[in-house]
Amino acid sequence: MMRVCLFPGTFDPVTLGHTDIINRALPLFDKIIVGIGINPSKEPMFSAEQRMQWFRDIYKDEPKIEVHTYDGLTVNYCKTIGANFILRGIRFVSDFEYEKTIADANRTLDRSVETVFLTGEPQYTSVASTIVRDILRHHGDASPFLPGAVIKTLKGY
């Protein structure tokens, strides 16, 4: 059975913290599907198409990575794409408490999907999309937190 993993998030924008988790998860799974969640109640800074393109550029030479958008319950989307794992990155203990609550709910909804947590590398613990968006909104230099493919497209922000 293939080990298919969904890495869900908004990725607004894609950060080095996100790519750290993906890169370290690559040996663990046969396929990682990056699922860009579309939440109608959130207004993202970057379009879903832009976020998908960043992942495609970053992982153009990695056949194990796919990127899609989805809406609705993450655990239901897992069924749609045949994923039996959900990948989540943990920076702090508070992240774990929040993520464990979601993982427990997902397990209640579908026992065939297991959540896997990877802790972020220490140099990326301060990297949060919210902080990066704030830096960009105030015309600061967010490049220390971002992959090259993202930096290249940010001239207009």
Side-chain angles (χ1 to χ4, degrees):
M1 178 168 151
M2 273 190 57
R3 292 181 318 262
V4 178
C5 173
L6 173 65
F7 184 38
T10 50
F11 308 109
D12 185 36
V14 178
T15 69
L16 291 173
H18 298 133
T19 56
D20 168 54
I21 296 297
I22 292 170
N23 294 342
R24 289 188 303 110
L26 275 168
L28 306 176
F29 301 103
D30 299 308
K31 184 195 296 189
I32 297 175
I33 298 170
V34 177
I36 297 173
I38 305 301
N39 182 341
S41 68
K42 282 187 179 176
E43 187 58 47
M45 181 178 253
F46 301 98
S47 70
E49 293 73 26
Q50 176 64 79
R51 290 176 275 159
M52 288 176 67
Q53 190 58 53
W54 283 328
F55 279 114
R56 288 188 180 122
D57 292 346
I58 294 164
Y59 293 104
K60 63 183 180 296
D61 299 322
E62 180 47 71
K64 289 168 67 171
I65 301 280
E66 290 181 18
V67 60
H68 302 281
T69 59
Y70 76 99
D71 59 6
L73 290 175
T74 298
V75 75
N76 290 349
Y77 185 61
C78 285
K79 209 171 287 175
T80 304
I81 60 173
N84 37 358
F85 298 96
I86 295 172
L87 175 65
R88 297 299 293 161
I90 302 287
R91 292 172 300 193
F92 304 106
V93 171
S94 56
D95 286 352
F96 178 74
E97 292 170 351
Y98 173 74
E99 293 293 344
K100 183 186 181 309
T101 304
I102 296 170
D104 290 346
N106 285 337
R107 192 177 313 106
T108 300
L109 294 171
D110 187 339
R111 293 192 95 36
S112 70
V113 177
E114 192 62 60
T115 300
V116 175
F117 300 112
L118 288 183
T119 57
E121 287 284 352
Q123 66 264 37
Y124 302 124
T125 54
S126 64
V127 180
S129 293
T130 308
I131 293 168
V132 172
R133 285 194 305 274
D134 207 40
I135 293 168
L136 293 172
R137 271 191 205 99
H138 294 93
H139 309 290
D141 179 12
S143 61
F145 308 105
L146 301 170
V150 176
I151 295 168
K152 273 192 259 185
T153 63
L154 288 181
K155 302 304 171 230
Y157 289 90

